[in-house]
Amino acid sequence: MGNLSFLSKVFRYVNSNGDSLVFTYENGFVINKPNGIDSVTVNLSQAVGINQVGATIQSYNVQPRPVTVSGRLIGEMSKVNKERLISVVRPDLDARLYADDHYLVVRPTSTPSIEPRAEFAAFQFSVLAAYPYWQKDASSRVQLSSVSGGFKFPWNMSKAYRFGTVTKTQFIVITNNGQLPVPFTMTLLAKSGCVNPRIINANTGKHLTINKSMVAGERIVVEITHDRMYATSSVDGDIRGALSIRSNLNRIDVGDNVLKPEADIGLEQLEISIDFATEIVGVVL
């Protein structure tokens, strides 16, 4: 089983039913460093020309990440933890494997094998993360533009009064402090009519455009994941067909991203926010 030690990060396994295991001494576990948490395997496609020295890299593919968790059961909870290992790490359920506040979405490839001992029983199980990078559990939200309420009591009825103040910036910088470009979710809320809203990355020229007229009170959520894009309107439901086929802004790049909100009509009455979660290549202890 290797040398068992106390690790600098807390590892947790939470299946899609919400059942969880926390691999700490206090919870009756002592684990090794999980195998596979830091490095990834990269397959390279190479080409070699006549008389060429070496090769030319044409493309690369980062492989899914296999992880093996092993350790021993300790203390009075050993018998209960044997049953919990079997009931939580189930082959029919997806799960999240956490290292502090970063996680992998995983599926078991080998359910727990547990030694038949009453004390200090060794255990091991293996999982596969189809998407190999660690994602941060908490997301960041950035407001590109908004309308702030301005009505307050008491007020002078003999004077004109501003009921709302538009908070609008021509450009806003969103910083991705992770190691990888990440997908994001864009939420739009129309305070009044708005036509063809969009955001543009001023650094790259890439944009995300919705070819649609929004009515007052309508909310649109564009959710970009690692493999799909969803667009939902509170008025019309699924509106993926309204996304411009020329839209090519689908990631928040590493570092500073200068984004600009735009619309053909009604930008001053449109609230736009961006949510994203940073990612890292591997976890080190």
Side-chain angles (χ1 to χ4, degrees):
M1 296 297 295
N3 294 321
L4 298 170
S5 62
F6 294 100
L7 305 178
S8 61
K9 289 181 170 59
V10 174
F11 286 86
R12 293 181 292 136
Y13 187 95
V14 183
N15 68 27
S16 56
N17 281 348
D19 302 316
S20 64
L21 297 164
V22 182
F23 298 109
T24 62
Y25 182 86
E26 294 78 11
N27 287 284
F29 297 94
V30 178
I31 65 170
N32 299 298
K33 169 195 169 186
N35 185 41
I37 62 173
D38 41 12
S39 64
V40 292
T41 300
V42 184
N43 284 351
L44 302 178
S45 175
Q46 306 175 54
V48 179
I50 298 175
N51 298 325
Q52 180 178 350
V53 177
T56 300
I57 304 299
Q58 293 184 317
S59 63
Y60 73 95
N61 178 255
V62 180
Q63 297 298 293
R65 182 193 298 268
V67 177
T68 298
V69 179
S70 61
R72 290 188 182 274
L73 304 175
I74 59 173
E76 299 176 353
M77 296 181 288
S78 293
K79 183 176 181 180
V80 172
N81 281 338
K82 284 183 178 182
E83 297 295 333
R84 286 192 54 74
L85 277 167
I86 296 298
S87 64
V88 174
V89 185
R90 288 172 43 181
D92 58 324
L93 296 178
D94 291 330
R96 288 186 177 188
L97 177 64
Y98 283 89
D100 281 351
D101 59 349
H102 285 83
Y103 69 90
L104 297 169
V105 177
V106 300
R107 191 70 175 255
T109 55
S110 177
T111 56
S113 172
I114 307 171
E115 246 185 339
R117 296 175 53 176
E119 297 180 346
F120 304 109
F123 72 90
Q124 178 175 297
F125 66 89
S126 298
V127 297
L128 183 72
Y131 182 75
Y133 297 137
W134 293 84
Q135 304 172 61
K136 194 172 182 63
D137 193 31
S139 62
S140 300
R141 165 164 287 199
V142 179
Q143 200 80 18
L144 300 189
S145 60
S146 63
V147 180
S148 302
F151 186 78
K152 297 179 181 179
F153 284 100
W155 86 101
N156 189 339
M157 297 180 63
S158 65
K159 295 182 179 180
Y161 197 91
R162 185 181 296 273
F163 283 83
T165 301
V166 177
T167 303
K168 186 178 72 171
T169 52
Q170 187 171 6
F171 298 97
I172 191 165
V173 178
I174 295 179
T175 302
N176 175 2
N177 291 315
Q179 300 170 352
L180 300 156
V182 294
F184 61 92
T185 297
M186 179 175 70
T187 303
L188 306 93
L189 176 61
K191 295 296 186 179
S192 65
C194 179
V195 178
N196 299 340
R198 56 191 172 272
I199 56 170
I200 299 173
N201 186 318
N203 294 331
T204 64
K206 293 182 178 180
H207 65 95
L208 177 57
T209 300
I210 303 173
N211 292 323
K212 183 183 186 304
S213 295
M214 297 180 67
V215 299
E218 182 176 2
R219 181 186 297 271
I220 290 177
V221 178
V222 179
E223 180 186 4
I224 301 169
T225 69
H226 290 292
D227 52 4
R228 295 183 182 182
M229 181 181 291
Y230 304 90
T232 307
S233 163
S234 60
V235 175
D236 299 315
D238 185 353
I239 57 165
R240 281 175 292 180
L243 295 172
S244 170
I245 61 174
R246 297 181 181 275
S247 292
N248 54 4
L249 178 58
N250 51 32
R251 293 291 186 273
I252 300 296
D253 293 330
V254 175
D256 291 340
N257 297 255
V258 182
L259 300 184
K260 179 183 181 182
E262 289 187 351
D264 291 352
I265 299 173
L267 177 62
E268 63 278 1
Q269 292 296 319
L270 183 66
E271 292 186 1
I272 305 176
S273 62
I274 300 292
D275 294 86
F276 68 97
T278 58
E279 297 181 6
I280 56 177
V281 174
V283 166
V284 293
L285 303 178

